[in-house]
Amino acid sequence: MPEHKGLVLIAEDERHIADLQRRYLSREGFGVHVEADGTAALSAARRLRPVAIVLDIALPGMDGVTVCRRLREDGDWTPVVFVTARDEVADRILGLELGADDYLTKPFSPHELVARVKSVLRRTAGPGQDPVRRVGRLVLDTGRRTLHVDDAPLELTTTEFNLLAFLMRNPGQVFSRDQLLAQVWGYADYRDTRVIDVYVSQLRAKLGEASPIRTVRGVGYAVTDGTR
């Protein structure tokens, strides 16, 4: 399974536009989840923790401006690309003041959308991160895609590596199964979330006592320096 670039949430009530956005973002390696109204989009953003949000302003239920405002009030600074059919300066200013990272006016090329999403992700990523991660007895190199436990190499499958790498990049943070499926697999509508439990069990079996993966009952999983 190839490494995904993360999940992009699309909030768009025009189905043909959403389908086009989904298709082009998927081709670039992003997982994509689509919601057609603002209330559902806000819930999905909180639940799935996407890497970016493509947010139409004129959404039913709750408009995109309110969705963005609610996220920022929560302290959620996920990159947002606003989309609107209007090209008014006031709309642009309002969106940027609320913390939007970019702005597209319909109609636009899907290639431009992909370029804008990539651009905001680069801008918000900050300085290049060290590809080597150390947690407890584990040293994981995402550049070379190697894992060492007590200085001895350990082979992992592609999916096992991607899951462990994501958790080690976010030490101490607890992720639900839905969030892990979104971030590691790029799925948001995968029904059997227990597949995460299978991969965690496989990782723990391979890592043995060195496993830093902790179960948070009723929530999900986290990586810590302590025991499981």
Side-chain angles (χ1 to χ4, degrees), residues 6 51 66 72 103 116 118 145 147-148 160 189 199:
V51 297
T66 304
R72 297 322 189 217
Y103 198 108
R116 296 290 187 93
K118 289 181 175 180
R145 294 189 68 82
L147 172 69
H148 286 75
E160 290 168 350
D189 301 314
Y199 279 99

Side-chain angles (χ1 to χ4, degrees), residues 192-207:
D192 186 11
T193 58
R194 293 292 169 174
V195 69
I196 295 293
D197 299 342
V198 174
Y199 279 99
V200 168
S201 295
Q202 291 174 187
L203 278 170
R204 284 175 168 165
K206 290 186 176 182
L207 297 171

Side-chain angles (χ1 to χ4, degrees), residues 50-151:
V51 297
I53 303 171
V54 179
L55 183 58
D56 188 31
I57 288 182
L59 289 170
M62 179 187 298
D63 63 56
V65 170
T66 304
V67 172
C68 186
R69 181 183 290 117
R70 296 278 181 87
L71 289 173
R72 297 322 189 217
E73 288 172 352
D74 290 346
D76 185 337
W77 290 90
T78 301
V80 169
V81 177
F82 265 142
V83 174
T84 181
R86 296 170 295 180
D87 189 18
E88 297 179 3
V89 173
D91 289 337
R92 290 178 181 267
I93 293 174
L94 177 59
L96 295 173
E97 285 180 347
L98 285 171
D101 299 271
D102 209 338
Y103 198 108
L104 278 172
T105 303
K106 298 177 183 177
F108 54 85
S109 162
H111 294 289
E112 182 180 7
L113 171 66
V114 171
R116 296 290 187 93
V117 170
K118 289 181 175 180
S119 177
V120 298
L121 288 175
R122 284 194 300 270
R123 293 202 306 267
T124 56
Q129 295 184 337
D130 187 346
V132 178
R133 297 282 167 174
R134 294 174 174 83
V135 174
R137 295 155 57 185
L138 277 58
V139 178
L140 184 141
D141 189 328
T142 56
R144 294 184 174 86
R145 294 189 68 82
T146 60
L147 172 69
H148 286 75
V149 180
D150 296 330
D151 297 324

